[in-house]
Amino acid sequence: MSSEILTSNIIQNTTNSAMSSYEKYSLLISIIAIVISIGVPLLQWIYKKAKRLRLSIIPFENNPLLLLFNESGCYFKLMFCIQCEDQDTTITSIDATLTRQSDSWEKTYKWSFLESTYINWLGNNSANRLNSATYARPYKIKENTLEPFIIEFSAQDDASKLNSECNDNETSLSQFMYFNPDYKISSCKNIDELKTTIAAIKAGYKQTNEYSSINKTLKQYFYWKSDSYLLNLSIHYGVDNCKQCSYEFEISQEEADEFSRNFEEITFCRLHKSCNLPNNLFSLNKNIQAHT
C-alpha cells in the first residue's frame, strides 16, 4: 500500500514540474523580444556603417564667386552647398588653388571666414543686408542634409605683408599732409571744401616717390588679370578624406582694368575713412562652370 502511494506521489510531482503550454509560449515570446530588441538596433548600426558616405558640391546658381582686391590683396568668396548622404561627417578644412591658364601662375588659398546667409531687410540693396561672419572652423554635417556655405578664401601671407605696406603708406601720406599747409582738412567748412582739399592732396601725393612705391607694391599683389582661371576646391572631411572638384571662370580685359583702378582707392582708402567718405573699391561677381 505504501509503495503505491509513493509511486502516485512521484508521478504527481513529475506532472506538476512540467511547464504548461502557456508558460512555454510566454518563454518563447520573451526570447524573441530579447532577440529583436538587441538584433534590430545591431542590424541598423551595421547597415548604417556599411553605407558609403557621399559628398556633393553644388555652387549657387547665380554668381557664386566674388573676386576682391583691397588692403588684404586679391582674395575671393565662394558660395555653394554641400550635400551629405548616408552618413554624418565633419568638414575639417577647405582650401582652394587658383591657376591662371596663360602663364600657369598658381596660388593656394585657405578658408578664413564662414559667413551666414544674408538676411535682406530692405530690398536687394547690398547696403541693406545684415550678415555675420565667424572664423573658419570644423563644421559638422548631418546625414541626408544640404548645407549652404559662404566662405572667404584668403592668402594670409599676402594680407599680412600688404597690410604692413599700407601702414607705411598711411604714415607717409600723413607726413606729406602735415608739411603742406594747404592740405589742412580740419579747416574745411563744408563737404565741398573737403572734397576739393582731398582732390588736391591726391594730386600732390601722386607726384611723390612714396606714391610710386605703394603702387609698385600693389602691382606685385594684383592677380586678377585678363585670362582664364581654373579653381580647384579641396574639401577635407572625416579622418583623412578629401572631396575635390574643379571649376573654370574668365576675367575680361575690361574687368581687369576696373580692378586696376583699386590701386588709387587702396592708397587713399584710409584718408577717405578718416573723413567719413566712402571708398569705391571694385569687386566682381562671376559665374563658374564645372571643369571636366
Side-chain angles (χ1 to χ4, degrees):
M1 183 68 179
S2 59
S3 62
E4 293 177 356
I5 295 174
L6 179 60
T7 302
S8 177
N9 289 337
I10 292 174
I11 294 173
Q12 185 177 358
N13 290 337
T14 301
T15 303
N16 291 339
S17 63
M19 295 179 62
S20 66
S21 298
Y22 173 77
E23 290 173 327
K24 290 180 181 179
Y25 284 125
S26 297
L27 178 59
L28 180 60
I29 292 173
S30 299
I31 294 173
I32 293 174
I34 292 173
V35 170
I36 291 175
S37 64
I38 297 175
V40 171
L42 179 61
L43 290 174
Q44 290 176 338
W45 182 83
I46 293 174
Y47 175 73
K48 183 176 180 180
K49 290 298 181 181
K51 291 192 298 183
R52 184 178 179 182
L53 170 66
R54 291 181 295 170
L55 287 184
S56 301
I57 312 304
I58 306 174
F60 284 15
E61 184 175 0
N62 296 316
N63 298 319
L65 181 64
L66 175 63
L67 305 179
L68 302 107
F69 176 50
N70 51 38
E71 287 191 4
S72 296
C74 288
Y75 62 103
F76 61 93
K77 296 180 183 180
L78 188 61
M79 295 166 278
F80 60 95
C81 292
I82 297 180
Q83 184 174 353
C84 178
E85 298 179 84
D86 296 333
Q87 288 189 25
D88 298 349
T89 193
T90 298
I91 306 300
T92 55
S93 66
I94 304 178
D95 52 69
T97 300
L98 274 178
T99 304
R100 196 161 52 219
Q101 300 290 340
S102 64
D103 56 5
S104 298
W105 166 88
E106 187 173 281
K107 189 77 175 178
T108 298
Y109 292 81
K110 300 291 185 181
W111 68 343
S112 54
F113 288 97
L114 299 175
E115 293 190 6
S116 65
T117 54
Y118 289 124
I119 303 174
N120 293 333
W121 60 279
L122 271 180
N124 295 319
N125 189 338
S126 61
N128 296 328
R129 291 175 177 173
L130 301 176
N131 67 293
S132 60
T134 61
Y135 287 110
R137 82 285 184 193
Y139 194 96
K140 181 68 174 289
I141 301 180
K142 301 293 290 183
E143 65 173 331
N144 300 322
T145 57
L146 186 69
E147 291 288 342
F149 287 89
I150 301 176
I151 301 180
E152 178 181 302
F153 292 88
S154 64
Q156 293 299 326
D157 289 344
D158 283 4
S160 177
K161 293 175 183 178
L162 188 53
N163 191 260
S164 177
E165 295 288 343
C166 289
N167 289 337
D168 293 341
N169 175 70
E170 182 181 20
T171 301
S172 298
L173 181 57
S174 297
Q175 292 175 347
F176 173 78
M177 293 167 58
Y178 179 80
F179 290 107
N180 287 273
D182 293 336
Y183 300 152
K184 297 298 182 182
I185 293 177
S186 58
S187 64
C188 296
K189 298 179 182 179
N190 52 55
I191 188 65
D192 291 333
E193 288 187 8
L194 177 62
K195 290 181 178 180
T196 300
T197 300
I198 289 179
I201 292 172
K202 289 181 178 180
Y205 191 67
K206 287 179 181 179
Q207 307 304 314
T208 65
N209 292 331
E210 289 77 11
Y211 182 81
S212 299
S213 176
I214 188 63
N215 267 261
K216 183 178 179 180
T217 300
L218 290 172
K219 289 179 180 179
Q220 294 175 357
Y221 292 95
F222 179 66
Y223 309 135
W224 306 139
K225 300 178 181 180
S226 174
D227 213 319
S228 297
Y229 292 80
L230 180 65
L231 171 61
N232 291 310
L233 189 66
S234 298
I235 300 178
H236 303 275
Y237 64 96
V239 177
D240 193 21
N241 300 308
C242 181
K243 171 70 175 180
Q244 293 186 321
C245 46
S246 299
Y247 302 97
E248 296 175 320
F249 67 93
E250 293 184 358
I251 298 177
S252 68
Q253 185 60 56
E254 182 181 357
E255 292 166 338
D257 292 342
E258 288 287 342
F259 264 124
S260 65
R261 294 190 178 95
N262 282 5
F263 291 173
E264 180 176 332
E265 291 294 326
I266 295 170
T267 302
F268 298 108
C269 67
R270 299 188 184 186
L271 174 61
H272 292 169
K273 185 176 181 180
S274 67
C275 298
N276 294 319
L277 294 176
N279 288 305
N280 297 312
L281 289 166
F282 177 75
S283 59
L284 180 62
N285 286 101
K286 298 294 293 184
N287 281 316
I288 55 178
Q289 293 82 38
H291 175 73
T292 56

